[in-house]
Amino acid sequence: MNTTRSMLEKLKELNPTLDVYHCEDEAFQKYGTVVSNYDFSGMIAKANEFTLPAEGVEYLRSVSELEDATLLSSLSQSFFNNVPLQAGICHGRNNKLNALEWHPSNELLVAASSVALFLGHVDEMMNLQYDVRNIRAFYVPAGSCVLLFHTTLHFAPLHAERAGFRAIIILPKMTNAPFEENPLKVIH
């Protein structure tokens, strides 16, 4: 059995009450798709140089060391209608779901280490509330990239390994920026 499948089996064994799928399983198609034919090795190597926070999760929305202009331009053309992109990092130790979010655009997640994702779908919301019994868990092996559709509810990845996790997050520029960084222009 290869390492990816054995890690998935270990996650299933440790979480017997939870169905855990691989991101390449058909069940993932409702939430996103696996992205191939891009070389993320340079980004991953740089992401792995970042020191994990002592505890919890840290999200840095835009990290210049990860923003390979040629790669981001190509990804923008393929997945974001030529919108300028930012590449950031979400890393740390996380073993729980404590929030859900979604964006008006898709999101690319490059797994610098193996991660697990809890995903839902906006169509399952009722009055802006979500029944977490509808959540699905997916394993994303290190080195993989997934495109999460704009209709996918998600939050910080969970670590699939005791050491923690590192994920590169690629979104349109200024996503998750504080309001003062992106002032509203008013017509006078």
Side-chain angles (χ1 to χ4, degrees):
M1 180 182 290
N2 69 33
T3 306
T4 296
R5 287 294 169 184
S6 63
M7 187 174 284
L8 176 60
E9 294 308 315
K10 183 69 173 173
L11 284 173
K12 288 180 178 185
E13 178 184 312
L14 291 170
N15 300 281
T17 62
L18 187 62
D19 290 330
V20 182
Y21 302 92
H22 193 283
C23 64
E24 292 178 349
D25 289 345
E26 186 177 330
F28 187 71
Q29 293 175 6
K30 178 177 182 177
Y31 308 100
T33 189
V34 175
V35 173
S36 54
N37 300 326
Y38 291 89
D39 181 6
F40 294 103
S41 60
M43 276 183 159
I44 291 170
K46 289 177 184 173
N48 284 323
E49 293 175 6
F50 282 79
T51 302
L52 292 176
E55 57 185 58
V57 174
E58 178 181 48
Y59 171 63
L60 304 170
R61 68 174 178 79
S62 180
V63 177
S64 60
E65 295 91 341
L66 300 175
E67 293 178 339
D68 175 316
T70 302
L71 179 56
L72 290 181
S73 176
S74 180
L75 293 169
S76 177
Q77 289 173 12
S78 296
F79 303 107
F80 294 93
N81 202 28
N82 289 316
V83 170
L85 299 178
Q86 65 190 25
I89 190 166
C90 186
H91 60 167
R93 292 166 186 82
N94 184 25
N95 63 0
K96 63 182 178 255
L97 174 68
N98 58 7
L100 288 168
E101 69 176 2
W102 78 97
H103 307 282
S105 75
N106 296 333
E107 174 176 320
L108 284 168
L109 181 145
V110 181
S113 66
S114 295
V115 301
L117 298 174
F118 281 146
L119 304 178
H121 196 277
V122 294
D123 286 350
E124 299 164 340
M125 292 175 61
M126 296 290 288
N127 299 318
L128 293 179
Q129 295 190 11
Y130 188 80
D131 185 341
V132 294
R133 292 177 291 191
N134 293 325
I135 286 289
R136 298 292 173 258
F138 293 92
Y139 169 70
V140 182
S144 299
C145 176
V146 294
L147 176 75
L148 298 178
F149 300 143
H150 70 279
T151 52
T152 299
L153 300 169
H154 63 282
F155 205 57
L158 291 81
H159 60 266
E161 304 170 31
R162 279 194 170 89
F165 77 92
R166 289 182 178 88
I168 300 160
I169 308 297
I170 301 171
L171 288 161
K173 268 198 185 303
M174 303 307 289
T175 302
N176 295 324
F179 288 123
E180 59 270 6
E181 286 187 43
N182 195 7
L184 179 65
K185 306 290 190 257
V186 181
I187 300 172
H188 294 283

